[in-house]
Amino acid sequence: MENINIGVIGAGFMGKAHVVGYSNTPKLFWPAPAMPVLKTVCDIVPEIAEDAKVRFGFEKSATDWRDVIADPEINAVSICTPNDSHAEIAIAALKAGKHVLCEKPLSSSLEDTMAMADAAREAAAKGVIHMTAYQYRRIPAIALAKRFIDEGKLGDILNVRCTYLQSWSADPSSPLSWRFQKDIAGAGTLGDIATHVTDIATYLAGDIDEVTGLLRTYIKERPVQEGGVDLLGTVKLDDNAKKAPVDVDDEVSFLVKFASGAIGSIEATRNAWGRNNHITIELHGTKGTVAFNYERLNELQVCFADDPDHFRGFKTVYTGPAHEHGDVTWNIPGMNIGYGELKTIEIFDFVKAITTGEQPSTNFEVALRVEQVTAAVARSAESGQWTKVAA
Ligand code: SOE
């Protein structure tokens, strides 16, 4: 079996998630398409890099991503750094012939994302794989919804309602990490989490043509976090901490028109007390409905119009070995998968793409389309108008 030597760039929360995926791919999917080998982990903070090497079992650590890309032994990289650095790293990696799995959003500006898609197109012609980390469309229950749609069981799609609600930044004393700074993140919830459900909406219902949206920033300044990895609201800083302005959105709401004629709505917030990683997708068709909630990610609710009147209603399908990527779902439906298995499905898809040479479903072209939608939402929030998604 072929070895694929991996470099993980950025050793924070997301770096850890990718490592879980690489380590578990051969454990959960066997025979694995190839064996991922944890070669080098890179972080600009030397102690974090060294710590990650030991903890995750990498052969080497580095503090400059250029050393990872220049290493002829490295075949593929995961980019898990803040958004503003993705473009430079990804473009250099693609030019060097390394397969790239990049966290979302692809970058902090549409211009950079377009440059990344150009570089990906050129590299793909030489057999290089490019992928964006939109893991949630790979949830077996979402894949099952897609199957019902493709089989025509839901009829014509009328409406897609999506929400991504979190609470980790609802407390004003949660620190100002890079996620609240426009020059690094590019956007707030719009780039960070609305992109995930936009990806799912387009995966299920096709291209979005036009949007109208609103953005809101509720907490205008936050205490500054000095150094360290992003702790996503798990720490609170006291009133004496230095404060700095927030210049991205805390919440976004938008209406969409799909090319198919379907309509829909997408909402995302990081300020919804009581909502943690609350992703909901509800899709109504002429012949039925599917409904999903990430906090019960092993379940899909389905209702079919052609059930008799006295019998019609939602039923719950527990996903398991009978469903897409059933290999990771243990032997009995209801034993359940979680975030770690989901990241493993994503990494499995990346490793499989590298071995087959077929671009994954969440390649850079698909991510560019998602970011064209979110850029149109930002323009619409400024103008107050319905706005076409640029082709
Ligand atoms: C923070 O909102 C975050 O870590 C996002 O950046 C991820 O994409 C999401 O999956 C979980 O929450």
Side-chain angles (χ1 to χ4, degrees):
M1 185 178 293
E2 185 193 351
N3 280 351
I4 297 181
N5 292 334
I6 306 292
V8 173
I9 302 171
F13 155 53
M14 247 333 121
K16 173 171 91 174
H18 284 232
V19 168
V20 166
Y22 287 116
S23 307
N24 286 334
T25 288
K27 298 185 181 82
L28 297 179
F29 291 97
W30 192 256
M35 283 303 263
V37 178
L38 296 175
K39 262 292 177 226
T40 309
V41 60
C42 176
D43 200 283
I44 46 171
V45 183
E47 303 77 57
I48 296 180
E50 190 49 28
D51 192 54
K53 178 189 126 179
V54 176
R55 169 182 180 197
F56 298 138
F58 280 87
E59 291 175 20
K60 294 189 267 187
S61 71
T63 51
D64 187 338
W65 59 264
R66 290 170 195 83
D67 294 337
V68 183
I69 309 273
D71 184 345
E73 279 203 311
I74 296 287
N75 306 118
V77 292
S78 270
I79 302 175
C80 304
T81 53
N83 305 344
D84 64 333
S85 58
H86 291 179
E88 196 186 1
I89 303 173
I91 292 170
L94 291 163
K95 286 207 163 113
K98 316 287 182 198
H99 307 290
V100 174
L101 171 55
C102 184
E103 267 304 325
K104 41 46 60 183
L106 270 189
S107 80
S108 51
S109 74
L110 189 56
E111 293 68 38
D112 277 357
T113 294
M114 284 159 83
M116 291 167 84
D118 287 345
R121 234 165 271 136
E122 255 178 54
K126 298 178 195 141
V128 175
I129 295 300
H130 46 92
M131 176 165 162
T132 317
Y134 283 125
Q135 71 273 12
Y136 295 117
R137 68 152 70 186
R138 298 186 159 84
I139 295 167
I142 296 289
L144 179 61
K146 171 80 170 146
R147 180 172 161 183
F148 284 137
I149 294 166
D150 290 349
E151 288 173 349
K153 296 219 162 47
L154 302 181
D156 296 332
I157 307 308
L158 305 174
N159 191 305
V160 188
R161 293 190 168 83
C162 307
T163 68
Y164 196 156
L165 315 178
Q166 297 182 326
S167 61
W168 62 266
S169 71
D171 186 331
S173 56
S174 296
L176 182 122
S177 67
W178 63 266
R179 286 176 204 272
F180 299 97
Q181 298 170 56
K182 192 171 170 48
D183 57 341
I184 307 179
T189 49
L190 181 59
D192 189 29
I193 54 176
T195 43
H196 279 299
V197 278
T198 304
D199 174 58
I200 295 175
T202 54
Y203 172 59
L204 296 179
D207 275 346
I208 293 173
D209 267 359
E210 225 178 321
V211 294
T212 181
L214 296 170
L215 294 172
R216 289 289 180 270
T217 304
Y218 301 120
I219 298 172
K220 310 274 187 211
E221 57 170 24
R222 288 179 180 275
V224 177
Q225 180 186 331
E226 307 287 356
V229 295
D230 182 6
L231 295 166
L232 288 165
T234 53
V235 288
K236 313 280 172 231
L237 298 182
D238 66 33
D239 270 359
N240 302 323
K242 190 178 100 195
K243 294 215 168 67
V246 171
D247 56 1
V248 298
D249 54 285
D250 287 323
E251 176 155 345
V252 59
S253 258
F254 58 103
L255 293 176
V256 309
K257 294 180 193 167
F258 291 90
S260 66
I263 59 170
S265 62
I266 296 183
E267 288 179 58
T269 178
R270 300 187 294 209
N271 285 52
W273 286 117
R275 298 301 185 198
N276 300 303
N277 204 49
H278 195 80
I279 300 171
T280 62
I281 311 289
E282 182 156 320
L283 186 145
H284 304 152
T286 49
K287 294 190 193 164
T289 292
V290 285
F292 168 83
N293 170 5
Y294 181 84
E295 287 170 355
R296 303 190 70 91
L297 80 106
N298 295 272
E299 299 171 20
L300 185 71
Q301 303 283 322
V302 290
C303 171
F304 295 113
D306 59 7
D307 280 342
D309 286 352
H310 70 283
F311 194 66
R312 188 180 309 113
F314 279 104
K315 74 171 184 175
T316 305
V317 181
Y318 283 89
T319 52
H323 298 99
E324 176 94 342
H325 295 314
D327 324 46
V328 297
T329 53
W330 310 107
N331 294 340
I332 302 173
M335 281 183 160
N336 294 346
I337 65 164
Y339 191 72
E341 284 98 340
L342 187 53
K343 270 316 223 192
T344 307
I345 294 175
E346 173 183 274
I347 299 284
F348 164 77
D349 277 353
F350 182 49
V351 173
K352 189 173 78 182
I354 293 171
T355 55
T356 61
E358 256 176 62
Q359 296 297 341
S361 66
T362 54
N363 56 61
F364 279 20
E365 303 287 359
V366 171
L368 170 62
R369 191 70 192 149
V370 169
E371 288 173 41
Q372 283 168 333
V373 173
T374 50
V377 173
R379 292 200 304 279
S380 159
E382 291 260 341
S383 69
Q385 305 292 316
W386 275 96
T387 303
K388 288 266 180 217
V389 176

